[in-house]
Amino acid sequence: MGRLKRRLHPTHLWDLFVTSDPDLGRLRMGLRSMLGAGLSALVISQLASLLGEPPTVTMVGTMMGMMGSQIATDPKPREQRLTTLLLALPAMVSIVVGTLASQVPVLGAAAFAVTIFIATYVRRFGPRGLAMGMIGFFAFFNALFFHAQLAQIPALVGAIAVAICIAYAVRFVLVRDRPDLDLRRFVRSFQKTVALVLWELTDFPEQRRVTPAMQRRLRREADRLNDAALAVEDLLTRCQPALRLRIFDLELAADRVIAAVRQVVESGSLPLEARKELRQALFAAHASVRNRDPVARKVMQEHLAHLQETVSGAPESGQGRSDARRFATSITDLVEAAANLPGELPRLAPGQATAVKAGTGPQGAPPKNGLHPSTRQALQVTVACVLAMVVGHAVSSERWYWAVITAFVTFTRTRTLGDTLLRGWSRVLGTFLGVIAGLLLAGVVSGHRTVELVSLFVCVFFGFYLIRISYGWMVFWFTTMLSVLYSLLGRFSPDLLVLRIEETLIGAGLGVLIATLLLPERTTVHIHATAKQVLSAVCDYLEEAVVNRSPESDPARLIDLARTLDAKLRELRTVARPLTGSLVRLAPRTARTVHSVSELVVFVRHLALGKGVLQVHDEVHELIREAAARLASNARTLARTLDQDEKPTLEPAAALLEKARRALVGEETVRRGPASPPIFLHWLARVDDTLNVLAKASSPLTRNPLAST
């Protein structure tokens, strides 16, 4: 029996790339932006040359083509098409108004402020409002930035019409979405993600204790699994219950393996030889899952047999035998679940796919001032941009637009002060690093016109390709592109790029200042609002999967509730992102709440759609139902009182769960796997413990001004 060695292999690097972008979505974004900009520039420049129009027309058209190919994020393909076509209307209106108003500087500034308010206010109408507001703002900005003249208005309007048509063709013809192909990529990516998680876990068995760094890695692996599973789920509908259930079962099996490996390290009961066998079993399981290799599966079973032999000879180590048995069961379940993934997948038409939901953040109750979030933000953005006009103009009468655009985008896709701080910081850092890269790149490509043109579109590609990873990366590449553009136009100078940094600092600083002083929205408020939604989802899941569970329960509905729980938790982590890292010190109680709620969801998901309820006799069944009903009521109580002055009063379910555990008889006490009654009761007990921890930590939101991000 050969031993498998852990070594870095090129296939693992490829797996990391594929699983980080399973549907090549970022690649599509990069290609669409590059083709939208490139084709618009090519077509419009030719038309402008024939009509004797200046380069300004081509610049505006190129910008509109690039944005138009990306900016529609509606949930359904038909809505995306309509939004893309409608982009021409606000763009044309803004370019005309901007050109007319710019002839009188004061009037132009006033009209720009009004445009900024409207562009932000219409975000209340969802993705379409956001898209139309953004393109309207940038069209007005282009009119000011390129000093459009009255005589150019017809050409500018025509350029926008051509650019939007090109953007539509790029988005929905040349680089269109392919749900059927995406589904195959997503499922394959999910399978490789499971294999990668197993590969990462091979580092853990021989560790002496669970360190904070290990905890973060384990949490990261669980999050990676959940993201990959949700990526598949987003493409499936209720019409594919079998595939949804298999994906869900495989995800839970991988979660159980993670928990089993962690238990091995925490207890430290397994001897070194047993840990080595466990590690080799992980290697073999990795090969089995990744390549569907039956030989690797057989090797895994051999290592598991050696593991059991190693611990069976130590009668004093009951915990070690329990840990080994738990690991063997979980890893066997995982390999079986991976083998059950179908080779042939259903074909999906674009209209059948469940659209990926944009992370717009929680919509909770409106603030106490009664303003709609979009109205509040419109006021903030307008004030910040007006101040940016004044201060930016004092620094540079020619480039004050950079300060304004920074102030505007600092509030884009943000809801709270913490979000604004992060976005402003990303803008400044991306600009600073982009200026350095731009100086270097412009020095290399200067004078080589073809290379400069190629560099422009490469920067556009990477800007949109990396935007999903970090907004700062997009800023970096677009700042670099600006350096090459100025080199191409013969206007490049280091002083100009330094001025861009100064104007960016002005815009970001004023944005953060206004977000802090004018109608601020605290991150902690939104965290607690989203945590309440998570607790409500926990309550719904407990009631459906445990309290009301029966053989006739609809598996599709159970999976829907489980995925709702996953989505709410992901939303909570997104909302809480500003309080991660060093900012945790500003609101430690809120950070603990987020951690406890996250753990609660993990424990609830381990209930495996309530299968354990169906595997016990009537007395235990009734005890479990009563305990789960009490837990659901506790979750509802916490959701109601999480940020209130009243202290929540919960009814612990520990006594009921212990009574149910003692009432297990016969095979019920030894059955293993996801439907094991002892394991099911264990996770219900963890849910009970976590709810009690949340109740003890529950208190009014802190009034400390430092925690008001």
Side-chain angles (χ1 to χ4, degrees):
M1 178 182 62
R3 287 184 175 267
L4 300 170
K5 301 293 185 180
R6 189 182 196 277
R7 60 183 184 275
L8 189 62
H9 192 275
T11 57
H12 299 134
L13 296 176
W14 173 250
D15 285 354
L16 282 171
F17 169 76
V18 172
T19 56
S20 67
D21 189 23
D23 66 331
L24 303 182
R26 296 202 307 270
L27 180 60
R28 282 199 187 112
M29 290 187 69
L31 288 174
R32 285 170 180 167
S33 61
M34 186 172 66
L35 287 174
L39 292 177
S40 296
L42 178 64
V43 174
I44 296 174
S45 64
Q46 295 298 318
L47 293 175
S49 177
L50 291 173
L51 298 174
E53 296 294 339
T56 299
V57 175
T58 301
M59 295 291 187
V60 171
T62 301
M63 176 69 75
M64 295 297 103
M66 179 180 67
M67 293 187 63
S69 65
Q70 300 288 342
I71 204 169
T73 58
D74 303 81
K76 296 181 180 180
R78 183 177 180 181
E79 294 173 351
Q80 293 172 4
R81 294 188 184 95
L82 180 57
T83 297
T84 301
L85 293 175
L86 289 176
L87 292 177
L89 296 179
M92 289 177 180
V93 171
S94 292
I95 202 76
V96 171
V97 174
T99 302
L100 293 173
S102 65
Q103 308 306 310
V104 181
V106 176
L107 179 61
F112 198 16
V114 173
T115 300
I116 290 168
F117 181 88
I118 295 173
T120 309
Y121 181 83
V122 296
R123 293 175 186 173
R124 67 172 58 204
F125 301 114
R128 181 168 295 166
L130 175 64
M132 297 180 74
M134 287 289 289
I135 204 159
F137 168 84
F138 278 100
F140 198 109
F141 172 82
N142 285 336
L144 299 180
F145 186 79
F146 293 114
H147 304 288
Q149 302 300 312
L150 295 178
Q152 298 171 358
I153 288 179
L156 291 171
V157 170
I160 289 175
V162 172
I164 296 301
C165 289
I166 291 174
Y168 185 94
V170 168
R171 175 76 181 270
F172 302 108
V173 179
L174 299 180
V175 192
R176 67 185 186 277
D177 291 327
R178 298 289 299 275
D180 53 335
L181 297 179
D182 285 346
L183 180 60
R184 288 196 286 273
R185 292 193 187 104
F186 272 65
V187 172
R188 180 59 176 160
S189 171
F190 176 63
Q191 185 178 347
K192 289 185 176 181
T193 299
V194 174
L196 275 173
V197 169
L198 293 173
W199 182 265
E200 291 294 329
L201 287 177
T202 57
D203 278 345
F204 289 85
E206 298 180 26
Q207 301 297 321
R208 295 183 179 274
R209 63 187 180 88
V210 178
T211 64
M214 289 174 63
Q215 290 179 345
R216 288 191 296 270
R217 282 185 64 187
L218 289 171
R219 194 178 304 120
R220 184 172 64 248
E221 298 308 320
D223 290 345
R224 177 189 290 179
L225 273 171
N226 187 238
D227 288 342
L230 285 177
V232 179
E233 184 71 22
D234 284 334
L235 280 178
L236 295 175
T237 68
R238 292 174 64 90
C239 299
Q240 294 95 23
L243 180 56
R244 296 180 71 198
L245 187 58
R246 288 176 180 176
I247 293 293
F248 191 77
D249 285 344
L250 179 54
E251 182 190 358
L252 289 185
D255 281 338
R256 289 194 293 272
V257 172
I258 293 175
V261 171
R262 176 171 182 161
Q263 176 62 30
V264 167
V265 180
E266 284 182 339
S267 70
S269 301
L270 289 180
L272 180 60
E273 186 61 29
R275 293 183 180 224
K276 290 180 178 178
E277 294 293 342
L278 189 150
R279 188 167 184 257
Q280 291 298 320
L282 285 170
F283 282 131
H286 160 78
S288 175
V289 171
R290 187 185 187 280
N291 303 318
R292 292 180 178 262
D293 185 356
V295 176
R297 184 174 181 175
K298 183 179 179 181
V299 171
M300 182 196 75
Q301 294 296 341
E302 292 175 355
H303 284 296
L304 292 179
H306 279 264
L307 172 64
Q308 298 290 352
E309 292 172 3
T310 304
V311 297
S312 62
E316 72 282 355
S317 179
Q319 182 63 49
R321 290 196 300 273
S322 175
D323 291 346
R325 186 168 55 248
R326 179 182 178 184
F327 172 79
T329 302
S330 63
I331 197 74
T332 302
D333 289 344
L334 183 148
V335 172
E336 290 179 356
N340 287 333
L341 283 180
E344 293 294 328
L345 299 174
R347 292 184 62 85
L348 298 177
Q352 293 177 316
T354 302
V356 179
K357 298 169 182 61
T360 56
Q363 295 299 320
K368 295 180 180 179
N369 55 32
L371 292 176
H372 189 280
S374 64
T375 305
R376 174 189 60 81
Q377 197 172 67
L379 292 172
Q380 290 178 319
V381 174
T382 304
V383 172
C385 287
V386 169
L387 291 176
M389 290 180 196
V390 175
V391 179
H393 191 277
V395 174
S396 172
S397 60
E398 291 293 324
R399 306 297 174 189
W400 57 271
Y401 310 115
W402 285 337
V404 177
I405 198 172
T406 299
F408 179 83
V409 299
T410 296
F411 289 91
T412 301
R413 300 186 186 278
T414 64
R415 289 289 302 273
T416 66
L417 174 56
D419 293 335
T420 306
L421 282 168
L422 283 182
R423 198 165 182 88
W425 166 246
S426 297
R427 181 83 182 185
V428 171
L429 182 62
T431 300
F432 178 76
L433 296 178
V435 164
I436 296 175
L439 287 170
L440 297 175
L441 182 60
V444 172
V445 303
S446 180
H448 305 280
R449 186 175 181 82
T450 302
V451 178
E452 288 175 327
L453 287 172
V454 172
S455 299
L456 285 177
F457 295 111
V458 169
C459 290
V460 169
F461 171 84
F462 280 110
F464 279 97
Y465 179 78
L466 297 173
I467 189 173
R468 287 185 182 177
I469 296 178
S470 170
Y471 171 71
W473 275 115
M474 189 200 76
V475 176
F476 169 85
W477 285 104
F478 272 71
T479 303
T480 304
M481 179 198 70
L482 193 65
S483 303
V484 179
L485 178 62
Y486 278 126
S487 174
L488 185 65
L489 297 176
R491 300 163 63 184
F492 174 81
S493 73
D495 291 341
L496 192 61
L497 296 182
V498 172
L499 178 61
R500 180 171 173 81
I501 294 177
E502 294 174 351
E503 295 285 355
T504 299
L505 285 170
I506 291 170
L510 288 172
V512 171
L513 179 65
I514 295 304
T516 305
L517 301 178
L518 179 63
L519 304 174
E521 278 289 288
R522 292 188 297 168
T523 304
T524 49
V525 172
H526 286 271
I527 290 175
H528 281 78
T530 312
K532 286 184 173 185
Q533 296 177 14
V534 177
L535 289 170
S536 296
V538 166
C539 175
D540 293 340
Y541 186 80
L542 285 171
E543 290 178 339
E544 189 71 22
V546 185
V547 179
N548 301 322
R549 186 71 159 94
S550 71
E552 291 75 32
S553 296
D554 181 8
R557 171 162 172 76
L558 292 172
I559 295 176
D560 286 343
L561 290 172
R563 292 312 185 192
T564 297
L565 198 58
D566 292 337
K568 291 298 180 184
L569 178 60
R570 184 162 59 175
E571 192 171 282
L572 175 63
R573 289 171 174 168
T574 299
V575 172
R577 192 174 298 156
L579 288 181
T580 58
S582 59
L583 289 182
V584 168
R585 294 174 297 175
L586 302 182
R589 191 170 298 167
T590 301
R592 287 196 298 269
T593 297
V594 172
H595 177 71
S596 296
V597 172
S598 300
E599 283 195 331
L600 177 65
V601 173
V602 171
F603 300 150
V604 169
R605 292 180 77 256
H606 276 293
L607 297 177
L609 303 181
K611 295 176 183 177
V613 181
L614 307 177
Q615 307 296 324
V616 294
H617 64 278
D618 291 344
E619 180 187 356
V620 177
H621 189 181
E622 289 304 315
L623 287 170
I624 290 176
R625 287 184 60 203
E626 184 179 352
R630 187 171 294 181
L631 293 175
S633 176
N634 290 343
R636 186 179 291 108
T637 299
L638 278 173
R640 187 181 65 252
T641 63
L642 189 61
D643 59 349
Q644 303 299 321
D645 292 333
E646 61 178 298
K647 195 74 173 179
T649 302
L650 306 186
E651 294 184 76
L656 287 171
L657 295 173
E658 181 58 31
K659 186 176 180 180
R661 186 177 292 106
R662 291 197 302 267
L664 294 174
V665 296
E667 186 186 350
E668 293 173 352
T669 62
V670 296
R671 187 182 299 121
R672 298 296 165 187
S676 164
I679 294 176
F680 188 79
L681 290 170
H682 165 77
W683 291 118
L684 283 174
R686 297 298 298 270
V687 171
D688 185 41
D689 293 340
T690 307
L691 288 172
N692 288 318
V693 169
L694 273 170
K696 292 177 182 178
S698 179
S699 63
L701 291 180
T702 177
R703 302 300 196 271
N704 186 343
L706 288 177
S708 61
T709 55

